Amino acid sequence: MNLSEIIFKGYVPIVLSWIFPILMLFFAVFLEPNIQIGVFLLLLLAIIVGMLIPGIVISWLIIGLTTVGSGILLFGYLVIPVNDKVILLLAFPIEAMLVNLVSNWLLKWRSLGPNIASIHRYREHYNLDTKLLTSHNAEKVYSKEIMAIKNYPSYNLSMNITEIHWQNWQQYRQFHPDNQRKVLHDFAREIKHTRLPSELIYYLGDARFLIISYRVDENTQKTINDTTQKSLQQAFKTPAIQFKWATQQINYDNYDQFIYFADICKHLDRVMETDIITEYSREGN
């Protein structure tokens, strides 16, 4: 059960557990004093029972007491109006059930409390829509590889950074808010199928995917990227889904231009923006 579900399931019982006794006491004002006292005691007993006794025991207790109470009030020799009998029969079981639901919700919320920090850390490192690690992990891996390229020039280390961006995802979200998460999931799955096992794929947010490839020459990298691009174009043919691409190889000769993860992200964004401007210029001509 996730956090939002627990909160939702707790709000309704809390509100009803307050409204119901208020309504009962409001109607009891117009009844006989003995009935008023009976309704008040039943509601008080229901609150105590709902807070202290497990739900399954309360269920059997409600069944037993309701059966006995119905037999006494409906078939006994008590001269009580029908409306009074109904109020007396409903006061205990309904309030006890509502209070028990609230009590269970509070216990679940309390048990979830110590894990909230862990849940936030998990969401920071892992995106549930795409089933991919996030930029937090990508930045760590990138920084370690940059340090390795810097410290071991004789190893001739290199890496290719590729970014794929669904450029019109915001417009798509406006018209298909419920379907966007599924589309992102399908994107990630398609990208995984076309990449090498050694490549690392991350989701940066805002419909942006980052791929880190180690020691792959430019021709091979271009071939892999072309395969991924064709696969995405075939899988998503709608005009509402269009992609931007940018790739940069980093080695000992140029690593100092991309020391920080933010540097390579800005560079790739500029490359994609330049490609769009160039494409529009060609179309205009």
Side-chain angles (χ1 to χ4, degrees):
M1 183 178 294
N2 56 37
L3 181 62
S4 60
E5 186 178 358
I6 293 177
I7 292 176
F8 175 77
K9 287 187 176 181
Y11 281 155
V12 175
I14 286 177
V15 174
L16 293 179
S17 65
W18 281 92
I19 293 178
F20 180 76
I22 291 174
L23 291 176
M24 288 290 100
L25 293 175
F26 173 78
F27 287 115
V29 172
F30 303 99
L31 306 178
E32 296 293 332
N34 291 337
I35 304 298
Q36 296 178 14
I37 296 174
V39 172
F40 176 78
L41 292 177
L42 286 173
L43 292 174
L44 182 61
L45 179 63
I47 294 173
I48 296 174
V49 169
M51 293 178 62
L52 301 180
I53 298 180
I56 187 170
V57 178
I58 290 179
S59 299
W60 285 106
L61 187 62
I62 289 175
I63 293 173
L65 293 179
T66 303
T67 302
V68 173
S70 300
I72 294 174
L73 292 175
L74 299 179
F75 303 104
Y77 295 98
L78 299 176
V79 182
I80 301 176
V82 176
N83 293 337
D84 298 9
K85 293 179 180 181
V86 171
I87 291 178
L88 290 172
L89 286 175
L90 296 180
F92 175 80
I94 295 180
E95 182 64 12
M97 180 183 63
L98 291 173
V99 173
N100 184 254
L101 290 175
V102 174
S103 178
N104 291 335
W105 176 77
L106 292 175
L107 289 176
K108 290 178 181 178
W109 179 261
R110 183 178 179 182
S111 64
L112 185 65
N115 298 321
I116 289 180
S118 299
I119 293 173
H120 286 313
R121 285 195 299 270
Y122 179 79
R123 291 182 62 86
E124 183 182 11
H125 291 78
Y126 191 78
N127 181 265
L128 299 178
D129 295 336
T130 60
K131 302 295 189 283
L132 293 174
L133 296 175
T134 62
S135 58
H136 183 83
N137 304 81
E139 184 174 0
K140 286 185 176 181
V141 171
Y142 179 84
S143 299
K144 291 180 180 179
E145 188 64 21
I146 287 293
M147 292 304 298
I149 294 174
K150 175 183 177 182
N151 295 332
Y152 305 104
S154 60
Y155 291 176
N156 194 27
L157 300 175
S158 66
M159 63 176 171
N160 293 318
I161 310 297
T162 302
E163 182 178 341
I164 307 173
H165 185 205
W166 177 13
Q167 61 179 355
N168 50 351
W169 67 277
Q170 291 178 320
Q171 293 87 343
Y172 187 90
R173 183 176 62 181
Q174 293 176 359
F175 294 99
H176 308 281
D178 298 331
N179 195 46
Q180 188 196 28
R181 297 177 64 180
K182 180 182 181 303
V183 174
L184 286 174
H185 175 76
D186 294 341
F187 285 167
R189 183 181 58 186
E190 200 67 33
I191 292 173
K192 291 176 185 177
H193 288 169
T194 59
R195 309 305 299 192
L196 298 177
S198 59
E199 292 181 302
L200 303 177
I201 308 172
Y202 301 93
Y203 181 69
L204 305 183
D206 296 338
R208 297 165 60 214
F209 297 86
L210 189 80
I211 305 170
I212 300 180
S213 311
Y214 296 108
R215 303 196 68 175
V216 177
D217 62 80
E218 293 186 6
N219 291 331
T220 303
Q221 185 68 59
K222 186 178 184 304
T223 301
I224 298 173
N225 287 347
D226 289 343
T227 301
T228 303
Q229 189 170 11
K230 290 178 182 178
S231 178
L232 289 175
Q233 289 174 349
Q234 292 176 358
F236 307 98
K237 298 180 180 180
T238 171
I241 300 178
Q242 300 177 6
F243 301 98
K244 295 187 296 184
W245 290 72
T247 300
Q248 176 63 49
Q249 185 179 76
I250 302 176
N251 51 36
Y252 186 77
D253 296 330
N254 64 351
Y255 80 90
D256 55 340
Q257 303 176 26
F258 311 104
I259 292 293
Y260 300 105
F261 185 68
D263 297 334
I264 186 63
C265 290
K266 291 179 181 178
H267 173 74
L268 294 175
D269 289 341
R270 285 196 299 268
V271 171
M272 287 187 288
E273 291 173 359
T274 303
D275 291 343
I276 291 178
I277 295 174
T278 303
E279 182 179 350
Y280 285 161
S281 298
R282 291 175 179 175
E283 292 177 357
N285 294 331

